[in-house]
Amino acid sequence: MSLVSLVAEKIADDVRKVANTPRELAVEARYAVGAYRRGELSAVQIGRTAGATGFAVLVVALLLFPIYWIAMSAISGTGGSVYAAGGFSFFPENPSLQPFVWVLGDLIVPGLTISVNVPFSDLALVFDTPEIAFLDASDYGVDNPSNFKQYFVNSVIVSVPTLVLAMCVIVPAAYALSRREFIMRRKVLFGYVLFTQVGGGLGIASLIALYAMFVQVGLNNNRLALAAYYAATAVPFNTWLLKTYMDGIPVSYEEAALVDGAPPWRVVTEIILPLSAAGLATVTIFTFLTGWMEFVVAQTMLSADKFTLPVGLFALIDEYSIPWARFSAFALTFASPVMLVYLFAQRYIEGGLSFSGMEG
């Protein structure tokens, strides 16, 4: 089964679970009512369950309230729900999706002319592909859309190399620290623990020195150099996390494969890595977010034409005012991919953070 079909199946399972949730709740409610009438459940037990469910719903509502607030600010048109004279409004009077159109801008695939020469002749076949317009911002009164697409491309250029560079170090380092004995292994482990706690803080504290060093070597406006820096900062914590997960995989699996004649590289690629899927998914997401979400160093190192999404979001703040509707729409659009990835990968993240529970 390919990775795409596996992800599609997981998404379909999640959609089916969400769709079946109201029906399951109704079945459980009918069962509880029936059990109460038969005398199998007391009113106190039902009330306790209902109270716990209501408390859980309240906690979830409180956690989601900031997202709701930002969404209402975005569709309020002028962001009036944040600074309105009448205070916060739960439902904007004149909701509009124009701020989101301003963020996305034109989504148009331009038409192309493709020419193919016919062999052994002077003839040529010319094909004109039609222009495909998914979204024309001018149709919605938006003449100067944001630079979201440019910031998005810059973020991808920074985040993907960050992920590739970091994983090239994290995976072999985690396996070596988990399975191999070598000189100064414990000291290396202590060093990793040290950097997991103070690495980020050191990066901020040494920001001026880091900037001076990048300027000296001519890399102060280089996105790949920034990706290398992010990868270096992501290695300690994620290596420790993956190493801890690999510790939970029984050594007997490797020993059985070696007895069957499998070379070491097949033991790693066909046993260790597949059994570490949850840990790898967790580390992959954390490492990608390191390059996707970081703001301070990117703001310092990059010029305006190479801003990433967090810096582009901050650039919306004017000297005298903040366009709250556009700011909120930009923030929601920026965070949506991350929220969707986390939503569909949460089962792996939970498994990865549990440091494995595999039995030998």
Side-chain angles (χ1 to χ4, degrees):
M1 181 179 293
S2 66
L3 178 62
V4 175
S5 60
L6 180 63
V7 172
E9 184 180 341
K10 297 293 184 184
I11 293 175
D13 288 341
D14 290 337
V15 172
R16 281 194 294 269
K17 287 180 181 177
V18 172
N20 288 330
T21 297
R23 185 183 62 82
E24 293 175 355
L25 289 176
V27 171
E28 292 178 0
R30 284 199 300 270
Y31 173 79
V33 172
Y36 173 74
R37 290 175 177 174
R38 293 191 300 270
E40 297 174 358
L41 287 177
S42 65
V44 175
Q45 290 175 311
I46 295 177
R48 190 180 300 160
T49 302
T53 304
F55 179 75
V57 172
L58 178 62
V59 171
V60 172
L62 290 175
L63 293 175
L64 293 179
F65 182 75
I67 299 176
Y68 173 78
W69 187 338
I70 294 175
M72 291 301 103
S73 176
I75 66 175
S76 66
T78 60
S81 59
V82 176
Y83 279 153
F88 176 73
S89 173
F90 280 94
F91 302 102
E93 295 180 358
N94 299 306
S96 172
L97 294 178
Q98 192 183 54
F100 289 98
V101 176
W102 176 81
V103 171
L104 295 175
D106 296 329
L107 299 178
I108 299 175
V109 179
L112 298 175
T113 300
I114 302 174
S115 177
V116 179
N117 293 324
V118 178
F120 310 109
S121 70
D122 296 332
L123 302 177
L125 299 176
V126 180
F127 303 93
D128 291 325
T129 61
E131 179 182 276
I132 303 175
F134 296 99
L135 176 64
D136 189 346
S138 60
D139 293 343
Y140 299 89
V142 177
D143 296 327
N144 296 307
S146 72
N147 294 322
F148 182 86
K149 293 192 286 293
Q150 177 187 341
Y151 298 150
F152 180 84
V153 171
N154 292 335
S155 288
V156 171
I157 292 175
V158 171
S159 301
V160 173
T162 298
L163 178 63
V164 174
L165 292 174
M167 294 303 286
C168 288
V169 177
I170 291 171
V171 174
Y175 177 74
L177 291 170
S178 175
R179 288 294 197 268
R180 297 289 184 258
E181 292 291 340
F182 50 87
I183 299 175
M184 298 182 66
R185 175 177 176 274
R186 289 179 59 83
K187 295 185 182 303
V188 172
L189 283 172
F190 289 143
Y192 269 74
V193 174
L194 177 66
F195 277 104
T196 59
Q197 300 301 315
V198 301
L202 283 177
I204 299 302
S206 60
L207 188 59
I208 297 177
L210 183 70
Y211 178 75
M213 184 176 66
F214 272 48
V215 170
Q216 287 294 324
V217 296
L219 296 175
N220 57 307
N221 194 28
N222 190 304
R223 290 165 291 189
L224 294 181
L226 187 64
Y229 169 77
Y230 288 153
T233 60
V235 164
F237 171 77
N238 291 291
T239 301
W240 182 263
L241 184 63
L242 187 59
K243 178 261 177 191
T244 308
Y245 190 87
M246 286 182 176
D247 288 343
I249 301 174
V251 180
S252 58
Y253 290 3
E254 293 180 71
E255 294 174 344
L258 291 173
V259 169
D260 289 341
W265 67 270
R266 288 191 64 184
V267 173
V268 175
T269 57
E270 297 183 10
I271 296 180
I272 299 299
L273 294 183
L275 291 177
S276 304
L280 285 171
T282 305
V283 168
T284 299
I285 292 173
F286 284 175
T287 305
F288 182 80
L289 290 181
T290 302
W292 188 263
M293 302 293 290
E294 204 281 334
F295 167 75
V296 176
V297 180
Q299 164 77 4
T300 305
M301 299 297 176
L302 299 177
S303 60
D305 61 324
K306 296 182 180 177
F307 277 174
T308 55
L309 282 170
V311 186
L313 176 63
F314 180 74
L316 297 179
I317 300 176
D318 195 87
E319 183 178 1
Y320 302 105
S321 64
I322 301 175
W324 280 110
R326 293 181 173 182
F327 188 89
S328 302
F330 194 108
L332 281 178
T333 310
F334 163 40
S336 295
V338 178
M339 289 192 294
L340 291 176
V341 169
Y342 182 82
L343 180 64
F344 292 115
Q346 58 180 324
R347 60 169 65 86
Y348 298 108
I349 295 176
E350 291 168 358
L353 293 178
S354 67
F355 304 120
S356 179
M358 207 171 295
E359 296 182 357

